[in-house]
mmCIF file of all heavy atoms in Angstrom:
data_model
loop_
_atom_site.group_PDB
_atom_site.id
_atom_site.type_symbol
_atom_site.label_atom_id
_atom_site.label_comp_id
_atom_site.label_asym_id
_atom_site.label_seq_id
_atom_site.Cartn_x
_atom_site.Cartn_y
_atom_site.Cartn_z
ATOM 1 N N VAL M 227 0.853 -1.178 0.000
ATOM 2 C CA VAL M 227 0.000 0.000 0.000
ATOM 3 C C VAL M 227 0.897 1.238 0.000
ATOM 4 O O VAL M 227 2.086 1.149 0.278
ATOM 5 C CB VAL M 227 -0.938 0.040 1.238
ATOM 6 C CG1 VAL M 227 -1.827 -1.186 1.297
ATOM 7 C CG2 VAL M 227 -0.164 0.198 2.527
ATOM 8 N N ASN M 228 0.282 2.391 -0.303
ATOM 9 C CA ASN M 228 1.048 3.633 -0.201
ATOM 10 C C ASN M 228 0.582 4.401 1.031
ATOM 11 O O ASN M 228 -0.328 3.969 1.738
ATOM 12 C CB ASN M 228 0.937 4.466 -1.485
ATOM 13 C CG ASN M 228 -0.479 4.907 -1.786
ATOM 14 O OD1 ASN M 228 -1.341 4.936 -0.929
ATOM 15 N ND2 ASN M 228 -0.723 5.264 -3.038
ATOM 16 N N GLY M 229 1.221 5.521 1.280
ATOM 17 C CA GLY M 229 0.892 6.328 2.443
ATOM 18 C C GLY M 229 -0.488 6.957 2.384
ATOM 19 O O GLY M 229 -0.988 7.444 3.389
ATOM 20 N N LYS M 230 -1.109 6.927 1.218
ATOM 21 C CA LYS M 230 -2.486 7.405 1.086
ATOM 22 C C LYS M 230 -3.480 6.319 1.470
ATOM 23 O O LYS M 230 -4.679 6.495 1.358
ATOM 24 C CB LYS M 230 -2.769 7.842 -0.353
ATOM 25 C CG LYS M 230 -1.984 9.032 -0.813
ATOM 26 C CD LYS M 230 -2.320 9.341 -2.261
ATOM 27 C CE LYS M 230 -1.452 10.443 -2.806
ATOM 28 N NZ LYS M 230 -1.759 10.720 -4.217
ATOM 29 N N LYS M 231 -2.926 5.161 1.874
ATOM 30 C CA LYS M 231 -3.702 3.977 2.247
ATOM 31 C C LYS M 231 -4.461 3.404 1.062
ATOM 32 O O LYS M 231 -5.582 2.921 1.193
ATOM 33 C CB LYS M 231 -4.624 4.273 3.431
ATOM 34 C CG LYS M 231 -3.849 4.647 4.686
ATOM 35 C CD LYS M 231 -4.746 4.770 5.881
ATOM 36 C CE LYS M 231 -3.922 5.058 7.127
ATOM 37 N NZ LYS M 231 -4.753 5.157 8.311
ATOM 38 N N GLU M 232 -3.827 3.463 -0.092
ATOM 39 C CA GLU M 232 -4.366 2.828 -1.302
ATOM 40 C C GLU M 232 -3.610 1.526 -1.520
ATOM 41 O O GLU M 232 -2.386 1.491 -1.431
ATOM 42 C CB GLU M 232 -4.163 3.740 -2.516
ATOM 43 C CG GLU M 232 -4.870 5.066 -2.395
ATOM 44 C CD GLU M 232 -4.451 6.053 -3.478
ATOM 45 O OE1 GLU M 232 -3.317 5.976 -3.984
ATOM 46 O OE2 GLU M 232 -5.277 6.914 -3.807
ATOM 47 N N VAL M 233 -4.356 0.458 -1.811
ATOM 48 C CA VAL M 233 -3.716 -0.824 -2.087
ATOM 49 C C VAL M 233 -3.093 -0.756 -3.468
ATOM 50 O O VAL M 233 -3.766 -0.473 -4.460
ATOM 51 C CB VAL M 233 -4.734 -1.990 -1.999
ATOM 52 C CG1 VAL M 233 -4.074 -3.308 -2.348
ATOM 53 C CG2 VAL M 233 -5.355 -2.053 -0.615
ATOM 54 N N LEU M 234 -1.778 -1.009 -3.546
ATOM 55 C CA LEU M 234 -1.064 -0.960 -4.819
ATOM 56 C C LEU M 234 -0.984 -2.337 -5.472
ATOM 57 O O LEU M 234 -1.072 -2.447 -6.689
ATOM 58 C CB LEU M 234 0.349 -0.399 -4.612
ATOM 59 C CG LEU M 234 0.424 0.998 -4.007
ATOM 60 C CD1 LEU M 234 1.877 1.378 -3.749
ATOM 61 C CD2 LEU M 234 -0.250 2.011 -4.920
ATOM 62 N N SER M 235 -0.789 -3.366 -4.643
ATOM 63 C CA SER M 235 -0.717 -4.716 -5.198
ATOM 64 C C SER M 235 -0.930 -5.751 -4.108
ATOM 65 O O SER M 235 -0.697 -5.493 -2.926
ATOM 66 C CB SER M 235 0.639 -4.960 -5.874
ATOM 67 O OG SER M 235 1.675 -4.989 -4.903
ATOM 68 N N VAL M 236 -1.386 -6.907 -4.546
ATOM 69 C CA VAL M 236 -1.494 -8.090 -3.695
ATOM 70 C C VAL M 236 -0.863 -9.221 -4.488
ATOM 71 O O VAL M 236 -1.239 -9.470 -5.632
ATOM 72 C CB VAL M 236 -2.963 -8.422 -3.354
ATOM 73 C CG1 VAL M 236 -3.052 -9.731 -2.574
ATOM 74 C CG2 VAL M 236 -3.600 -7.288 -2.561
ATOM 75 N N THR M 237 0.126 -9.886 -3.877
ATOM 76 C CA THR M 237 0.823 -10.986 -4.531
ATOM 77 C C THR M 237 0.505 -12.273 -3.777
ATOM 78 O O THR M 237 0.660 -12.329 -2.553
ATOM 79 C CB THR M 237 2.346 -10.749 -4.533
ATOM 80 O OG1 THR M 237 2.593 -9.481 -5.145
ATOM 81 C CG2 THR M 237 3.074 -11.841 -5.290
ATOM 82 N N ILE M 238 0.066 -13.280 -4.522
ATOM 83 C CA ILE M 238 -0.269 -14.575 -3.927
ATOM 84 C C ILE M 238 0.561 -15.644 -4.622
ATOM 85 O O ILE M 238 0.480 -15.811 -5.843
ATOM 86 C CB ILE M 238 -1.771 -14.886 -4.091
ATOM 87 C CG1 ILE M 238 -2.606 -13.774 -3.436
ATOM 88 C CG2 ILE M 238 -2.102 -16.253 -3.499
ATOM 89 C CD1 ILE M 238 -4.087 -13.841 -3.742
ATOM 90 N N LYS M 239 1.346 -16.357 -3.847
ATOM 91 C CA LYS M 239 2.145 -17.438 -4.415
ATOM 92 C C LYS M 239 1.236 -18.639 -4.690
ATOM 93 O O LYS M 239 0.269 -18.874 -3.964
ATOM 94 C CB LYS M 239 3.280 -17.831 -3.462
ATOM 95 C CG LYS M 239 4.334 -16.743 -3.348
ATOM 96 C CD LYS M 239 5.521 -17.205 -2.558
ATOM 97 C CE LYS M 239 6.583 -16.101 -2.529
ATOM 98 N NZ LYS M 239 7.721 -16.479 -1.701
ATOM 99 N N PRO M 240 1.540 -19.392 -5.739
ATOM 100 C CA PRO M 240 0.679 -20.519 -6.122
ATOM 101 C C PRO M 240 0.418 -21.514 -4.993
ATOM 102 O O PRO M 240 -0.688 -22.058 -4.894
ATOM 103 C CB PRO M 240 1.447 -21.181 -7.266
ATOM 104 C CG PRO M 240 2.317 -20.108 -7.809
ATOM 105 C CD PRO M 240 2.653 -19.217 -6.660
ATOM 106 N N GLU M 241 1.397 -21.734 -4.123
ATOM 107 C CA GLU M 241 1.198 -22.706 -3.053
ATOM 108 C C GLU M 241 0.159 -22.260 -2.022
ATOM 109 O O GLU M 241 -0.299 -23.062 -1.214
ATOM 110 C CB GLU M 241 2.519 -23.063 -2.353
ATOM 111 C CG GLU M 241 3.249 -21.893 -1.740
ATOM 112 C CD GLU M 241 4.310 -21.267 -2.639
ATOM 113 O OE1 GLU M 241 4.222 -21.377 -3.877
ATOM 114 O OE2 GLU M 241 5.226 -20.645 -2.094
ATOM 115 N N ALA M 242 -0.240 -20.987 -2.066
ATOM 116 C CA ALA M 242 -1.266 -20.499 -1.152
ATOM 117 C C ALA M 242 -2.667 -20.805 -1.654
ATOM 118 O O ALA M 242 -3.634 -20.711 -0.906
ATOM 119 C CB ALA M 242 -1.117 -18.998 -0.948
ATOM 120 N N VAL M 243 -2.781 -21.186 -2.913
ATOM 121 C CA VAL M 243 -4.091 -21.416 -3.517
ATOM 122 C C VAL M 243 -4.489 -22.881 -3.340
ATOM 123 O O VAL M 243 -3.909 -23.779 -3.938
ATOM 124 C CB VAL M 243 -4.081 -21.041 -5.015
ATOM 125 C CG1 VAL M 243 -5.457 -21.261 -5.624
ATOM 126 C CG2 VAL M 243 -3.636 -19.597 -5.189
ATOM 127 N N ASP M 244 -5.474 -23.069 -2.479
ATOM 128 C CA ASP M 244 -6.029 -24.401 -2.243
ATOM 129 C C ASP M 244 -7.529 -24.301 -2.503
ATOM 130 O O ASP M 244 -8.258 -23.708 -1.706
ATOM 131 C CB ASP M 244 -5.751 -24.840 -0.814
ATOM 132 C CG ASP M 244 -6.316 -26.213 -0.493
ATOM 133 O OD1 ASP M 244 -6.925 -26.844 -1.392
ATOM 134 O OD2 ASP M 244 -6.134 -26.662 0.655
ATOM 135 N N PRO M 245 -8.007 -24.882 -3.604
ATOM 136 C CA PRO M 245 -9.434 -24.784 -3.922
ATOM 137 C C PRO M 245 -10.334 -25.319 -2.810
ATOM 138 O O PRO M 245 -11.495 -24.932 -2.702
ATOM 139 C CB PRO M 245 -9.596 -25.620 -5.190
ATOM 140 C CG PRO M 245 -8.229 -25.793 -5.736
ATOM 141 C CD PRO M 245 -7.272 -25.644 -4.597
ATOM 142 N N GLU M 246 -9.776 -26.176 -1.975
ATOM 143 C CA GLU M 246 -10.550 -26.757 -0.881
ATOM 144 C C GLU M 246 -10.643 -25.802 0.320
ATOM 145 O O GLU M 246 -11.466 -26.014 1.201
ATOM 146 C CB GLU M 246 -9.897 -28.069 -0.414
ATOM 147 C CG GLU M 246 -9.747 -29.113 -1.502
ATOM 148 C CD GLU M 246 -11.076 -29.713 -1.913
ATOM 149 O OE1 GLU M 246 -11.915 -29.944 -1.027
ATOM 150 O OE2 GLU M 246 -11.270 -29.945 -3.124
ATOM 151 N N ASP M 247 -9.770 -24.781 0.366
ATOM 152 C CA ASP M 247 -9.721 -23.888 1.530
ATOM 153 C C ASP M 247 -9.572 -22.431 1.093
ATOM 154 O O ASP M 247 -8.584 -21.758 1.406
ATOM 155 C CB ASP M 247 -8.564 -24.297 2.457
ATOM 156 C CG ASP M 247 -8.678 -23.663 3.827
ATOM 157 O OD1 ASP M 247 -9.669 -22.951 4.090
ATOM 158 O OD2 ASP M 247 -7.752 -23.866 4.640
ATOM 159 N N VAL M 248 -10.565 -21.931 0.405
ATOM 160 C CA VAL M 248 -10.553 -20.557 -0.090
ATOM 161 C C VAL M 248 -10.601 -19.561 1.072
ATOM 162 O O VAL M 248 -9.987 -18.496 1.014
ATOM 163 C CB VAL M 248 -11.723 -20.324 -1.074
ATOM 164 C CG1 VAL M 248 -11.828 -18.865 -1.484
ATOM 165 C CG2 VAL M 248 -11.568 -21.211 -2.288
ATOM 166 N N GLU M 249 -11.283 -19.924 2.144
ATOM 167 C CA GLU M 249 -11.395 -19.024 3.291
ATOM 168 C C GLU M 249 -10.036 -18.671 3.871
ATOM 169 O O GLU M 249 -9.803 -17.535 4.275
ATOM 170 C CB GLU M 249 -12.268 -19.649 4.383
ATOM 171 C CG GLU M 249 -13.739 -19.458 4.143
ATOM 172 C CD GLU M 249 -14.569 -19.947 5.319
ATOM 173 O OE1 GLU M 249 -14.137 -19.800 6.477
ATOM 174 O OE2 GLU M 249 -15.659 -20.464 5.056
ATOM 175 N N MET M 250 -9.120 -19.636 3.918
ATOM 176 C CA MET M 250 -7.798 -19.364 4.455
ATOM 177 C C MET M 250 -7.083 -18.323 3.593
ATOM 178 O O MET M 250 -6.469 -17.392 4.106
ATOM 179 C CB MET M 250 -6.942 -20.626 4.524
ATOM 180 C CG MET M 250 -5.566 -20.365 5.132
ATOM 181 S SD MET M 250 -4.421 -21.718 4.959
ATOM 182 C CE MET M 250 -4.092 -21.709 3.207
ATOM 183 N N LEU M 251 -7.184 -18.454 2.305
ATOM 184 C CA LEU M 251 -6.554 -17.493 1.406
ATOM 185 C C LEU M 251 -7.166 -16.105 1.587
ATOM 186 O O LEU M 251 -6.454 -15.101 1.641
ATOM 187 C CB LEU M 251 -6.684 -17.949 -0.055
ATOM 188 C CG LEU M 251 -6.087 -17.019 -1.099
ATOM 189 C CD1 LEU M 251 -4.610 -16.767 -0.827
ATOM 190 C CD2 LEU M 251 -6.290 -17.610 -2.486
ATOM 191 N N GLN M 252 -8.478 -16.049 1.711
ATOM 192 C CA GLN M 252 -9.144 -14.760 1.936
ATOM 193 C C GLN M 252 -8.661 -14.127 3.236
ATOM 194 O O GLN M 252 -8.386 -12.919 3.291
ATOM 195 C CB GLN M 252 -10.664 -14.954 1.981
ATOM 196 C CG GLN M 252 -11.253 -15.339 0.649
ATOM 197 C CD GLN M 252 -12.716 -15.779 0.758
ATOM 198 O OE1 GLN M 252 -13.173 -16.201 1.820
ATOM 199 N NE2 GLN M 252 -13.431 -15.695 -0.357
ATOM 200 N N ASP M 253 -8.535 -14.920 4.287
ATOM 201 C CA ASP M 253 -8.052 -14.411 5.571
ATOM 202 C C ASP M 253 -6.623 -13.890 5.461
ATOM 203 O O ASP M 253 -6.278 -12.859 6.042
ATOM 204 C CB ASP M 253 -8.117 -15.502 6.643
ATOM 205 C CG ASP M 253 -9.542 -15.850 7.051
ATOM 206 O OD1 ASP M 253 -10.461 -15.066 6.733
ATOM 207 O OD2 ASP M 253 -9.728 -16.916 7.678
ATOM 208 N N LEU M 254 -5.792 -14.599 4.709
ATOM 209 C CA LEU M 254 -4.405 -14.166 4.527
ATOM 210 C C LEU M 254 -4.343 -12.829 3.794
ATOM 211 O O LEU M 254 -3.559 -11.944 4.149
ATOM 212 C CB LEU M 254 -3.595 -15.223 3.779
ATOM 213 C CG LEU M 254 -3.261 -16.500 4.556
ATOM 214 C CD1 LEU M 254 -2.637 -17.540 3.619
ATOM 215 C CD2 LEU M 254 -2.346 -16.215 5.725
ATOM 216 N N VAL M 255 -5.158 -12.679 2.765
ATOM 217 C CA VAL M 255 -5.176 -11.428 2.001
ATOM 218 C C VAL M 255 -5.617 -10.272 2.902
ATOM 219 O O VAL M 255 -4.981 -9.213 2.941
ATOM 220 C CB VAL M 255 -6.076 -11.541 0.753
ATOM 221 C CG1 VAL M 255 -6.287 -10.179 0.101
ATOM 222 C CG2 VAL M 255 -5.483 -12.526 -0.245
ATOM 223 N N VAL M 256 -6.694 -10.478 3.643
ATOM 224 C CA VAL M 256 -7.191 -9.432 4.541
ATOM 225 C C VAL M 256 -6.130 -9.076 5.572
ATOM 226 O O VAL M 256 -5.867 -7.904 5.852
ATOM 227 C CB VAL M 256 -8.509 -9.885 5.226
ATOM 228 C CG1 VAL M 256 -8.888 -8.946 6.365
ATOM 229 C CG2 VAL M 256 -9.627 -9.961 4.209
ATOM 230 N N SER M 257 -5.483 -10.085 6.131
ATOM 231 C CA SER M 257 -4.458 -9.857 7.144
ATOM 232 C C SER M 257 -3.276 -9.066 6.583
ATOM 233 O O SER M 257 -2.784 -8.127 7.214
ATOM 234 C CB SER M 257 -3.984 -11.198 7.697
ATOM 235 O OG SER M 257 -3.019 -11.022 8.682
ATOM 236 N N ALA M 258 -2.824 -9.422 5.396
ATOM 237 C CA ALA M 258 -1.691 -8.719 4.779
ATOM 238 C C ALA M 258 -2.047 -7.267 4.477
ATOM 239 O O ALA M 258 -1.257 -6.350 4.743
ATOM 240 C CB ALA M 258 -1.248 -9.440 3.511
ATOM 241 N N VAL M 259 -3.226 -7.038 3.932
ATOM 242 C CA VAL M 259 -3.646 -5.668 3.603
ATOM 243 C C VAL M 259 -3.783 -4.837 4.879
ATOM 244 O O VAL M 259 -3.296 -3.701 4.950
ATOM 245 C CB VAL M 259 -4.966 -5.671 2.798
ATOM 246 C CG1 VAL M 259 -5.547 -4.264 2.677
ATOM 247 C CG2 VAL M 259 -4.738 -6.269 1.414
#
């Protein structure tokens, strides 16, 4: 993010993508942001 609190990018590595556990990925994204 920048100092204006705008999200500039979100990077997700392939090993984080588990079709069986989408909620975990969503939680990780929210936590990182």
Side-chain angles (χ1 to χ4, degrees):
V227 301
N228 62 20
K230 294 178 186 179
K231 297 187 176 181
E232 299 169 332
V233 177
L234 301 175
S235 68
V236 175
T237 305
I238 302 170
K239 291 187 177 177
E241 58 266 25
V243 181
D244 179 1
E246 302 289 321
D247 195 3
V248 174
E249 277 187 36
M250 182 191 70
L251 179 57
Q252 292 169 337
D253 290 345
L254 288 172
V255 170
V256 168
S257 181
V259 169

